[in-house]
Amino acid sequence: MSKRLTIGAATFDDFEGVFFTFQAIRLANLDRLDELDLVVVDNNPNGAEGEATRDFCKKAGIRYLPETNWRSTAVRDRIFGEAEAPWAMSIDPHVLFEPGTIARLLEFLDQEDPESVDLYHGPMLYDYLRDECPATHMEPVWRSDMFGTWGHDDRGKDPNGEPFEIPMHGLGLFVSRVAAWPGFCRLFQGFGGEEGYIHAKVEAAGGKTYCLPFLRWVHRFQR
């Protein structure tokens, strides 16, 4: 069966994050696993947790890609370069989805323009999982040596709402058609720097950035 969606995560000594994120995805999508291309890019394969991560991926049928030449959060670029599906979603290796989210994403992508050059995000829920408005985007503002502050659009409260355009978002989760992926600069090093940059690059290529209200996720910040 041909793959419909690549789901990949870049990790650095985060075996537990990789384990729980990908096992949650697999358990919630047992009836469509053959349609998913699961990938882990390990940016420290020789580190303390590299062996455990590699062993888990082998047992779980997840493609394991060691990356030792480029040390950066931008190594997520390899997810798109190695994708076996026409669409790819990059996630942090400590992200969880609501039930049914991957199925809804596949349905959306099946109906999307096969020549799309747009970039897609979803609302980030906070740990308390209450009725407050999730983080639907980032505002292009500098704070604490980071570019981008969490923004909240009430249209993101309804998971059945229509997609809406946003300026940028955090890169804990993003989706692009593989053939349209503009790529990260190979000179990026260390943590961060991609937020805002990749959104401007998408816009320069004629695309837009959207929030998909159904594509809801939670992110572990505490570690």
Side-chain angles (χ1 to χ4, degrees), residues 73-106:
T73 49
V75 298
R76 291 175 284 204
D77 205 65
R78 283 198 66 186
I79 295 167
F80 297 86
E82 303 274 355
E84 295 182 352
W87 292 86
M89 176 168 63
S90 171
I91 57 175
D92 281 353
H94 32 260
V95 160
L96 297 173
F97 297 98
E98 288 185 324
T101 297
I102 301 301
R104 292 191 67 174
L105 178 59
L106 290 172

Side-chain angles (χ1 to χ4, degrees), residues 109-204:
L109 295 178
D110 283 346
Q111 300 171 358
E112 188 56 10
D113 182 358
E115 300 300 319
S116 171
V117 293
D118 297 327
L119 188 66
Y120 301 97
H121 293 272
M124 184 190 72
L125 306 176
Y126 290 96
D127 289 347
Y128 36 78
L129 300 178
R130 302 290 292 180
D131 296 331
E132 289 84 350
C133 186
T136 54
H137 62 285
M138 274 186 163
E139 299 289 352
V141 176
W142 283 96
R143 185 175 67 187
S144 300
D145 298 323
M146 289 285 294
F147 183 62
T149 59
W150 297 117
H152 308 86
D153 189 313
D154 283 342
R155 289 176 291 178
K157 289 183 177 181
D158 181 6
N160 297 312
E162 292 295 318
F164 55 93
E165 191 172 352
I166 56 176
M168 58 183 283
H169 207 332
L171 295 182
L173 178 152
F174 56 100
V175 183
S176 172
R177 192 170 63 87
V178 172
W181 173 244
F184 292 125
C185 177
R186 293 290 301 187
L187 297 179
F188 276 134
Q189 297 181 11
F191 173 80
E194 302 98 305
E195 282 92 356
Y197 160 87
I198 196 63
H199 304 91
K201 205 168 182 181
V202 166
E203 183 178 2

